[in-house]
Amino acid sequence: MAGRFVRASKYRHVFGRSTRKEQCYDNIRISKNAWDTNLVKANPQYVAVNWDASGGGAFAVIPLDEKGKLPEQLPLFRGHTAVVLDTDWHPFNDSIIASGSDDGKAFLWRVPDDFTLQAEDEITDVAPIAKFTGHSRKVGHVLFNPSANNTLATSSGDFTVKIWDIEAGSPRVTLKQHDIVQSLSWSANGSMLVTTCRDKKLRLWDVRQEKPVHVGPGHSGAKNSRVVWMGEHDRIATTGFSKMSDRQLGLWDIRNADAPINGFDMLDSISGICMPFWDDSTKCLYLAGKGDGNIRYFEYENDKFEYLSEYKSPDPQRGIAFMPKRGVNIHENEVMRAFKTINDSYIEPISFIVPRRAEVFQDDIFPPVSGTKPGMSSQEYFDGKDAIPPKIDMASLYAGEEPREVSSDYKPSAPITPTPVTAPAPAPTATSVSAPEAKNLDSVQETPQTSAAMRAAPSIKEQGASISTMAAKFADNEEEESSSAESSFEEVQKPIEKASAKQETTPPASKAVPAAPAKVAPAMWKGPSTTTTVTDAQSSAALPILNGAELAEIKSLLQQQKVSMAAQSEMIVQLTSEVDQVKRGIAALEKELAASRD
């Protein structure tokens, strides 16, 4: 059987880190309205949550630095005459937020300067700065254009989506749907909009032409479906249900959206709606289900979603929001941060972190991202211009400087392709790897193994000899095994100093293990890497210079040996059982022969 490959990915070990209750946002009264919405929205300064308020609709805005238990009375954003259904933050101004309500109106709000919930004086609610009326029924979704400044989309129960120029205070475009819109998402340049509706249709709209460029079937299930545009890619991702109520994930090519690429992927049979969130900088898709506490994340590569891992929690969520990438903690290698509601009483931040030991900026996992400068004005947008917002260099944020703009036509580097590595000899040998290579050694080829069901059944004597041989291989390697278990994180070494001492070379007693070709970061390259072989007798002396990639390789080999030994032990038990059955059969035959003679 061919050897298995571990797919190369910088985000293969991303994990979700929960937050202690003391660092959450507690004492919150989240709206109990049944409308399908995310309930919370976040930006680098605030998190907004739909509030369970009497006397009309309201929502609360919580500064991110005011953690812990919130006061019983706090300033709310009031103005709607019915419950607030959805909110959305302005992508280029962290103090502007829009809201949609069951009263058929959309409002625009500004967070006051020095806004705080710990008011010492009389609590004063915040009033809207603009009101948009034009829908005849409830406004279920509000979503700002990600490229054009001051451009807002609203969907309503009157089967329309209106595109507003909030500077003029009037709708400039109206998209006529055929049913209630369940979800909508903008393309990266804001020229197109994708919607899913209750009629189970997926529609792609050329917004300024006010007509759909594609109408086709989406998910066939009766429950709501969601859609998200995958950033600057010409792909969209949808989540929904099959006719058998299985949760599905679909990847669509906007140029041929008659059917999803390679069909729908079934996720599970849980009944909660799956909320998708796309991170364009890491090319990762996060799926959070309503009613369950888990968050799956996938990496988009080679026109399919590769499963990475899953954040598991016993606390279910009704709503969740992801912060824009410019607000993450770069010093802790945090690539995403989510805010999930728990028990409708508090909001918990969840950090998704790439585990690395490094004291320098990691440019490979933090490419430039969209900043706070729009790609065009609203008037330019409605006049037909297309543009991508300028990006900012995350290294400037890491250094605590003003955000530095980079070209808006930045394209991410080509994805890493897995490179097979020749399996080493049975006795593990330590190989020194240069610092740039240690950073990118994320995958190794596992030793080919033949399935036990495909091999001829060996005798008990052969099994015993094989186990003895296996045990002998580990007789002198206890120190190596304990060292390999010290850390499972990638270890990024500091750049090699020019005046570093020459590495010691040993007599060629064993064959050198070739290192996997790796993409070398230019900032860390100091010269060609050298490979030094270490014999079994010198392995304990060479242990201090082992890096994370080598320890992971040795650990993988030890794990393979354990799996092989376990398989052989199972075969021994099976053979012993068969021998016992044969003995019982022989005894039964002897009894039958004895009975026949009598």
Side-chain angles (χ1 to χ4, degrees), residues 1-17:
M1 186 174 70
R4 292 184 299 158
F5 287 87
V6 178
R7 192 179 61 87
S9 172
K10 299 184 288 290
Y11 310 105
R12 186 157 54 93
H13 301 295
V14 169
F15 67 95
R17 185 180 66 189

Side-chain angles (χ1 to χ4, degrees), residues 88 91-92 143-149 151 185-193 370-371 373-376 387-389:
D88 192 41
F92 311 115
L143 189 64
F144 277 100
N145 189 300
S147 180
N149 195 26
T151 305
S185 182
W186 289 98
S187 62
N189 62 4
S191 64
M192 298 186 69
L193 189 73
S370 297
K373 184 177 179 180
M376 54 193 154
I388 298 292

Side-chain angles (χ1 to χ4, degrees), residues 101-345:
S101 170
D102 209 357
D103 60 9
K105 300 180 179 64
F107 287 175
L108 198 66
W109 315 73
R110 183 186 298 276
V111 181
D113 296 336
D114 302 324
F115 179 74
T116 179
L117 302 180
Q118 311 294 335
E120 298 179 357
D121 303 330
E122 183 179 356
I123 297 175
T124 304
D125 290 334
V126 180
I129 60 174
K131 300 180 179 181
F132 307 123
T133 59
H135 290 292
S136 59
R137 302 190 66 179
K138 64 182 178 183
V139 176
H141 300 93
V142 291
L143 189 64
F144 277 100
N145 189 300
S147 180
N149 195 26
N150 297 329
T151 305
L152 178 70
T154 60
S155 71
S156 171
D158 60 8
F159 303 166
T160 64
V161 173
K162 292 184 181 294
I163 312 300
W164 301 78
D165 181 352
I166 64 177
E167 295 178 0
S170 60
R172 300 286 297 272
V173 172
T174 299
L175 310 178
K176 296 182 180 180
Q177 309 287 329
H178 292 270
D179 210 326
I180 293 179
V181 174
Q182 297 175 338
S183 177
L184 69 163
S185 182
W186 289 98
S187 62
N189 62 4
S191 64
M192 298 186 69
L193 189 73
V194 59
T195 61
T196 59
C197 294
R198 194 170 57 182
D199 61 2
K200 304 176 186 178
K201 298 291 185 181
L202 181 71
R203 291 178 172 86
L204 291 166
W205 296 85
D206 186 335
V207 175
R208 288 161 295 196
Q209 297 296 324
E210 299 190 48
K211 62 181 182 180
V213 297
H214 169 79
V215 179
H219 295 270
S220 59
K223 296 182 181 179
N224 288 11
S225 59
R226 295 289 192 94
V227 63
V228 62
W229 202 294
M230 295 168 55
E232 298 180 25
H233 296 277
D234 53 1
R235 299 287 188 271
I236 57 177
T238 61
T239 59
F241 293 83
S242 67
K243 290 183 179 179
M244 303 300 294
S245 296
D246 295 323
R247 288 203 295 197
Q248 295 175 326
L249 170 64
L251 173 66
W252 307 73
D253 183 351
I254 65 171
R255 295 164 297 188
N256 183 19
D258 294 329
I261 300 173
N262 299 324
F264 291 111
D265 294 327
M266 193 187 81
L267 298 174
D268 50 43
S269 299
I270 301 176
S271 60
I273 295 169
C274 210
M275 299 173 282
F277 300 89
W278 172 255
D279 178 20
D280 200 39
S281 61
T282 62
K283 306 297 180 289
C284 291
L285 179 71
Y286 296 79
L287 301 182
K290 283 193 173 186
D292 57 88
N294 302 341
I295 303 175
R296 298 181 180 93
Y297 35 102
F298 303 78
E299 184 176 10
Y300 173 67
E301 187 178 41
N302 299 327
D303 240 3
K304 63 180 179 179
F305 290 118
E306 297 285 356
Y307 176 77
L308 290 176
S309 187
E310 181 177 11
Y311 168 78
K312 297 183 178 180
S313 170
D315 301 315
Q317 65 248 351
R318 274 189 63 218
I320 192 169
F322 278 74
M323 177 190 293
K325 192 63 172 285
R326 55 188 170 87
V328 300
N329 190 338
I330 309 174
H331 292 270
E332 293 186 359
N333 293 334
E334 181 187 45
V335 292
M336 283 293 277
R337 187 186 305 173
F339 297 85
K340 61 177 285 187
T341 65
I342 297 178
N343 299 328
D344 288 346
S345 62

